[in-house]
Amino acid sequence: MTFLLPAALAALVLVGLPVAIHLLRREETREESFPALRYLLSDLRVRQRRLRLREQILLALRVTAVLAAVLAAARWVMPVGSGHLPPADVVIVLENGIVSGAVVDGRRILDDQRALAAELLDRLGDHDRVWVMPTAPADTPVFPLTRSEAVMALESVEPVAEPVVETGPPAPGPGASVERAVERARALLAVRPAALQRVVVVRSDGARIPEDGSVPAPGVLELDPGVDMPENRGITAVEVNGGLVPRAGEPVTVDVQLRASPPGGSDVAADVPVRLVVGGETVAAGRTDAEGRVRLTLAPLQEGSISGWVEIDPDALRLDDRVALAFRVVPPPTVRVLGDPGRWTRLALATLDEGGRIRMAAGPVPPGRIRSEIEPLPPLPAGSALLVTEDLVVALPPADPSLAAGLDPWIEALTPEGARGRIRLAEPSAPGTFLEVSGVQGLPTAMVGTEIHRRYRLAGGGPEGGVRVLAHLLDGTPWILEVGPGVSDPGDAAGRAPDRWTLRVLGSPLDPAWGDLPTSAAMVPALERLLLPGAGATDPGGPASAGVAPLPPSPVVSAGPPPPGWSREVLVERRGREGGPFLAWLLFVILCTEGWLAAGPRAGNRPDHETSTPP
Amino acid sequence: MNQNSAPPSGRQRRADLLPPETLAMLGGLEFTARKVVEGALLGLHASPRRGISAEFAELRAYRPGDDFRLVDWRMVGRSDRWFVKEFHEDTHLSAMVLLDASASMDWSSDPGRLPTKFWYGRLLAAAFALLLLRQGDRVGCAAFDERVREWLPPRGGRGQEARLLRRLAGVEASGRTEAGEPLRDAALRLRRPGLVILVSDLLVDPPPVERALRYLAHRGHHVVVAHLMDPGERRLSGGGRAILRDPETGDRVRIAMADAREAYDASVEAALRQWKSALRPAGIEHHLVDTSLAPARALRALTRARGRG
């Protein structure tokens, strides 16, 4: 049942009034001796049945009268069915992000969301069409469903933790997934002919719903289950080896950052035991400091892939209590420099060589396909360079834009066989913006925020062409492109065949005139990562896939009854109309009938008092 | 104004004319009954011929041997034919008063003012018995409910007065009414035809009682039924709802008085008509006795019945 003013239902206690009066009056009826009862017996049965029936009808009428008055006060919406209404299209956007998995009072928030959505489904008619659209994964296919099918679809939705690292476009902020889903839903409804179309967003976090009851967008209804979530702590960031590539035979550090919600509850994140589990065994453990940080140190590792997870004791929101990580322990690559990489690059390479992170090699490229590809080419343009390892080529463009075209043949020749995409340097663009690599797996977070003053336009095929963006600027302009056999050509299992390599092209020379990266602290780790073939991969087999975890949305949910009045009315017209006039008419009929029955058809004007004593 | 509640005036010094509630204050059954009888006797006219029967029956032709004193000389003078006068034999009456002592009799619609039907019936039975005894008749009494509880065979004399009053005073109302069987029992015990007075509220199953009364009449008894009825039984009064309980059966009925009144009154009238119509063909007198009225009226009706018994 639907009520526009549910608070008035508290008056339902008044229903007990006529019942109490009925029972009290029953008790007041006295028992009297009457020997001449036999004279009543002939008429007794019928009369007794009639009397009992009349009293029951009177009681029912009085209860109904009170009920009708309360329903009218609560603005009851009378169900009239939807058979005469044209079909409606409703998209239920279910926010099934990390917060929806929180367990509060032994019940997941998602279960409350489902119940709320099911309540909305109850208001729909049999001819209406429903789409159940979870917000994660973002592109989950949706189909038009009936009400019963939609209920089953709701049951199949589960909480989905947002990925630790994302590639591609800028990572969405909190709630962006809902906005994307709403846009998708509206686009879906735009091509539908139904007269009534609604997008119903069932939030897991009611804090983002406008408190003033304003409608966020025409035809969009936002609801939240109104769960008051307790304090929460979760792992917000995991960084392996301080951003450096783990090397065989060296200790590996894992930095873990915890954060408490709501903000300010840092005590919740302090002194929390954190464990690093690899292969089902706890290989490192520690407790967080006052800032919620802890560094776990692993003993020197052999070369190979390491996968496991970092975890804390589970609390209400369990999806952020365990973060998976995977990294590869690799030997230092042998690097050869062709051309002139510039002063800052040489210094960084020397630093890495000195630290044993790489091995610098002199002389020509060893015989192989790379060598066979580059031998026929003209010399490299001045100011440009190639950093060549066993299975990787990093191309640094020249500082002089007029020479940039000279690098294109090299890029074209070094594009691995089997890769369909092509990368090409174009004219330098206007002063650039800050570098953005958040969500990019495998590159050091210290690169984030580095300002790029100038950059070439990197033109190449999209993801379908095998070209991937490893780093981009805030405006979305790609800054590091990669094409390699691992994308369009699976190659062998290890991807390390001598004849296979990956080509990476930077959008700017590593020169302070073109950007701040060469002079920043991120230069050395960034260069190290660029010289590793797995950097930027989304699979756990990358050199270090653990990284920045996005901050989960605030789990603070607005308290109190969640939906303001407008939200209840959005779907009301599907199932009924307000029953005020009907209730008024019903009340009038009840009162008339009750008066007629209470007076009795033959009682006349005799007082209806309790006595059987004859005068 | 209800005459029952009126105080006795100077003209109402006859006890049989006192309202029942006043009589009830006079004392025990013996005293009250004697007062009522004395009052009733004051109301009777003295008979000019006492001791013998003088009721003419018929004329018949003279037969040799007839007493000459019985010859109707006037008829001889008129018709020159000899006729002798014949008279009814004048014998002492044998009367039996049957008092219903069931639980239904022990009820009054106004217990504070109006006596119960049983009190009234017992007074009526005692007064009538004393009246007959003082006229030289033989009177007995019996009390019954489902069976005959007390049985005093008809006798005459002053000793019978005391016995009868003592027996009646000792009877209490209780039990269920099954008048049919006790009446048959009485019919078998009463060998000599006489007057049978049934004092009862007749809250019984009518067919067996009707059959038993007809059987009594068939046995040669003159049967008179004093049907006691409380005014609260005659008409259902009051309002509201009540649970009515039958003191004999324990049945309970929950009714609204206003709703049941009309049907009840009709049912009572129909029952009374039924009794009269069922008893009249058998020569049984049915007298409705309102227990709120002075006993004189009922006593007169019974006295008239004695003349026919």
Side-chain angles (χ1 to χ4, degrees):
Chain A
M1 295 181 77
T2 306
F3 301 97
L4 302 184
L5 193 57
L9 291 179
L12 276 177
V13 295
L14 294 177
V15 170
L17 204 58
V19 177
I21 292 173
H22 176 80
L23 295 177
L24 288 174
R25 288 196 61 184
R26 280 172 64 97
E27 289 176 359
E28 285 175 0
T29 304
R30 290 174 302 177
E31 184 175 306
E32 299 173 5
S33 174
F34 191 71
L37 198 60
R38 64 174 54 247
Y39 294 128
L40 282 170
L41 290 181
S42 58
D43 193 47
L44 176 66
R45 304 299 173 206
V46 175
R47 193 162 295 279
Q48 205 169 16
R49 274 199 300 270
R50 196 179 303 161
L51 176 66
R52 192 177 298 122
L53 181 65
R54 198 182 74 176
E55 290 190 349
Q56 288 170 352
I57 291 174
L58 273 174
L59 174 63
L61 286 175
R62 286 163 183 164
V63 169
T64 310
V66 175
L67 201 59
V70 173
L71 290 181
R75 298 182 64 192
W76 171 53
V77 177
M78 191 170 59
V80 296
S82 59
H84 65 287
L85 297 172
D89 291 340
V90 178
V91 181
I92 296 179
V93 175
L94 198 63
E95 188 182 24
N96 61 330
I98 191 168
V99 175
S100 68
V103 178
V104 180
D105 296 331
R107 185 176 167 86
R108 286 190 309 181
I109 291 179
L110 181 64
D111 296 330
D112 292 331
Q113 291 176 264
R114 284 175 179 162
L116 206 55
E119 182 185 337
L120 290 170
L121 287 175
D122 282 343
R123 305 184 189 188
L124 300 181
D126 296 329
H127 304 293
D128 299 334
R129 284 291 168 266
V130 188
W131 287 259
V132 175
M133 183 181 290
T135 57
D139 297 320
T140 304
V142 293
F143 307 96
L145 305 170
T146 62
R147 277 196 300 157
S148 55
E149 291 169 340
V151 171
M152 288 190 287
L154 282 174
E155 292 299 319
S156 67
V157 176
E158 291 295 332
V160 175
E162 293 158 18
V164 174
V165 174
E166 284 187 354
T167 61
S177 59
V178 174
E179 292 167 7
R180 277 204 307 269
V182 169
E183 288 305 313
R184 188 180 167 208
R186 297 180 76 174
L188 186 151
L189 293 178
V191 298
R192 296 281 301 179
L196 179 67
Q197 296 181 334
R198 290 284 184 273
V199 177
V200 182
V201 181
V202 185
R203 294 271 194 178
S204 58
D205 178 4
R208 292 194 297 271
I209 295 180
E211 292 182 355
D212 58 359
S214 59
V215 183
V220 176
L221 162 68
E222 289 201 55
L223 295 176
D224 81 286
V227 177
D228 195 4
M229 193 170 153
E231 285 184 325
N232 177 66
R233 59 171 176 260
I235 301 171
T236 58
V238 177
E239 189 171 46
V240 178
N241 221 28
L244 297 176
V245 177
R247 298 299 182 191
E250 294 180 355
V252 177
T253 61
V254 177
D255 294 306
V256 181
Q257 174 70 58
L258 266 60
R259 184 168 294 183
S261 298
S266 58
D267 291 346
V268 179
D271 198 26
V272 175
V274 180
R275 297 176 292 276
L276 173 59
V277 179
V278 174
E281 294 183 1
T282 302
V283 295
R287 302 184 82 88
T288 57
D289 57 14
E291 302 296 326
R293 290 183 300 221
V294 63
R295 167 168 288 186
L296 307 176
T297 304
L298 284 79
L301 301 171
Q302 300 291 328
E303 181 184 347
S305 295
I306 303 295
S307 62
W309 62 80
V310 177
E311 67 176 14
I312 59 175
D313 293 336
D315 55 8
L317 184 54
R318 297 178 186 181
L319 286 177
D320 62 355
D321 296 335
R322 175 182 288 185
V323 171
L325 81 164
F327 55 90
R328 180 184 296 170
V329 179
V330 295
T334 301
V335 180
R336 285 180 172 79
V337 179
L338 304 181
D340 180 14
R343 176 181 170 230
W344 299 95
T345 305
R346 278 198 299 272
L347 285 174
L349 290 173
T351 303
L352 289 170
D353 184 33
E354 188 177 348
R357 312 295 300 176
I358 62 173
R359 284 194 293 267
M360 292 298 297
V365 176
R369 285 198 49 192
I370 294 180
R371 183 170 170 174
S372 62
E373 293 287 347
I374 61 178
E375 273 182 345
L377 295 175
L380 278 167
S384 64
L386 295 179
L387 308 179
V388 182
T389 69
E390 292 87 347
D391 50 8
L392 183 71
V393 178
V394 177
L396 303 177
D400 184 356
S402 62
L403 302 176
L407 190 60
D408 283 339
W410 287 79
I411 294 173
E412 185 174 351
L414 290 171
T415 297
E417 189 174 351
R420 287 174 291 148
R422 291 290 182 271
I423 302 173
R424 185 170 59 83
L425 286 175
E427 291 297 314
S429 62
T433 57
F434 295 96
L435 199 58
E436 180 63 52
V437 293
S438 66
V440 177
Q441 191 176 12
L443 290 176
T445 55
M447 292 173 64
V448 177
T450 303
E451 186 173 359
I452 302 300
H453 308 314
R454 299 178 66 191
R455 80 275 188 190
Y456 290 99
R457 293 185 187 278
L458 295 178
E464 67 278 2
V467 178
R468 294 190 304 163
V469 179
L470 297 191
H472 55 82
L473 303 183
L474 278 180
D475 60 1
T477 307
W479 194 71
I480 302 177
L481 290 185
E482 178 190 83
V483 59
V487 175
S488 58
D489 182 3
D492 62 6
R496 285 170 172 261
D499 292 335
R500 298 174 184 272
W501 68 91
T502 300
L503 174 65
R504 289 173 181 162
V505 181
L506 272 63
S508 307
L510 296 177
D511 188 298
W514 286 68
D516 292 341
L517 181 61
T519 56
S520 70
M523 177 65 178
V524 174
L527 195 56
E528 185 189 19
R529 292 296 184 91
L530 281 173
L531 293 171
L532 286 173
T538 54
D539 61 285
S545 58
V548 180
L551 184 65
S554 167
V556 180
V557 177
S558 61
W566 64 265
S567 60
R568 289 283 180 191
E569 294 184 20
V570 169
L571 287 176
V572 155
E573 66 270 25
R574 296 301 307 154
R575 303 289 287 175
R577 62 171 68 97
E578 197 170 347
F582 169 73
L583 289 173
W585 177 84
L586 179 66
L587 201 58
F588 173 75
V589 172
I590 287 173
L591 292 178
C592 290
T593 311
E594 195 271 351
W596 180 74
L597 281 175
R602 294 194 180 94
N605 55 0
R606 291 191 179 106
D608 187 20
H609 59 274
E610 281 296 334
T611 175
S612 65
T613 303
Chain B
M1 183 182 217
N2 191 341
Q3 61 172 323
N4 296 328
S5 59
S9 64
R11 294 193 300 111
Q12 291 181 333
R13 275 176 291 185
R14 280 174 52 186
D16 61 327
L17 297 180
L18 292 177
E21 63 266 27
T22 308
L23 277 176
M25 291 186 293
L26 290 180
L29 175 65
E30 182 175 351
F31 178 77
T32 312
R34 291 186 189 281
K35 285 293 183 187
V36 169
V37 169
E38 287 168 4
L41 287 177
L42 284 174
L44 293 177
H45 297 288
S47 176
R49 305 175 71 171
R50 293 171 179 266
I52 58 171
S53 173
E55 188 173 354
F56 172 76
E58 60 181 351
L59 294 173
R60 71 169 170 81
Y62 175 78
R63 290 194 294 259
D66 285 343
D67 190 345
F68 276 97
R69 288 180 297 178
L70 298 178
V71 174
D72 189 343
W73 297 106
R74 290 188 179 181
M75 288 300 295
V76 173
R78 286 180 190 166
S79 61
D80 199 18
R81 294 174 62 186
W82 288 48
F83 289 94
V84 293
K85 287 189 272 190
E86 286 196 333
F87 295 87
H88 287 292
E89 183 184 18
D90 191 7
T91 59
H92 290 295
L93 180 69
S94 177
M96 191 68 186
V97 181
L98 303 176
L99 176 64
D100 183 355
S102 64
S104 65
M105 291 283 286
D106 192 21
W107 185 80
S108 166
S109 59
D110 190 359
R113 296 167 47 211
L114 206 59
T116 64
K117 290 182 287 182
F118 182 71
W119 184 92
Y120 194 98
R122 189 166 59 178
L123 174 66
L124 191 61
F128 184 63
L130 292 185
L131 194 62
L132 295 183
L133 283 171
R134 293 192 180 182
Q135 291 185 1
D137 294 331
R138 294 153 49 86
V139 182
C141 73
F144 68 91
D145 44 35
E146 294 172 284
R147 56 183 176 80
V148 176
R149 281 160 46 186
E150 292 285 347
W151 180 266
L152 183 63
R155 287 181 188 164
R158 298 193 64 84
Q160 181 71 350
E161 273 189 31
R163 284 192 294 273
L164 190 141
L165 289 173
R166 201 165 48 243
R167 289 288 187 92
L168 285 178
V171 176
E172 294 294 336
S174 64
R176 299 184 58 168
T177 311
E178 290 294 342
E181 195 58 32
L183 289 178
R184 286 182 176 277
D185 188 15
L188 295 176
R189 294 193 195 193
L190 295 172
R191 295 174 182 171
R192 185 176 178 186
L195 179 64
V196 175
I197 311 292
L198 173 63
V199 182
S200 170
D201 57 6
L202 291 184
L203 295 176
V204 293
D205 189 18
V209 177
E210 289 170 4
R211 282 196 296 273
L213 290 173
R214 281 198 292 269
Y215 180 63
L216 276 167
H218 176 73
R219 299 266 298 190
H221 299 290
H222 182 70
V223 182
V224 178
V225 177
H227 187 168
L228 302 181
M229 188 166 269
D230 188 283
E233 291 177 333
R234 183 69 188 272
R235 294 191 62 80
L236 194 64
S237 57
R241 296 169 178 80
I243 296 174
L244 302 182
R245 176 176 48 82
D246 189 327
E248 291 189 7
T249 63
D251 291 340
R252 285 176 170 78
V253 178
R254 188 163 185 270
I255 62 164
M257 293 294 197
D259 290 351
R261 181 174 294 113
E262 189 171 323
Y264 176 85
D265 294 348
S267 180
V268 169
E269 294 304 320
L272 292 177
R273 282 195 302 274
Q274 171 65 23
W275 279 115
K276 285 184 183 296
S277 61
L279 299 180
R280 187 181 296 124
I284 301 170
E285 296 185 39
H286 177 269
H287 297 282
L288 183 63
V289 179
D290 189 337
T291 59
S292 65
L293 301 180
R297 186 173 175 181
L299 209 52
R300 271 201 299 278
L302 297 182
T303 307
R304 281 198 294 274
R306 185 256 175 231
R308 293 187 284 270

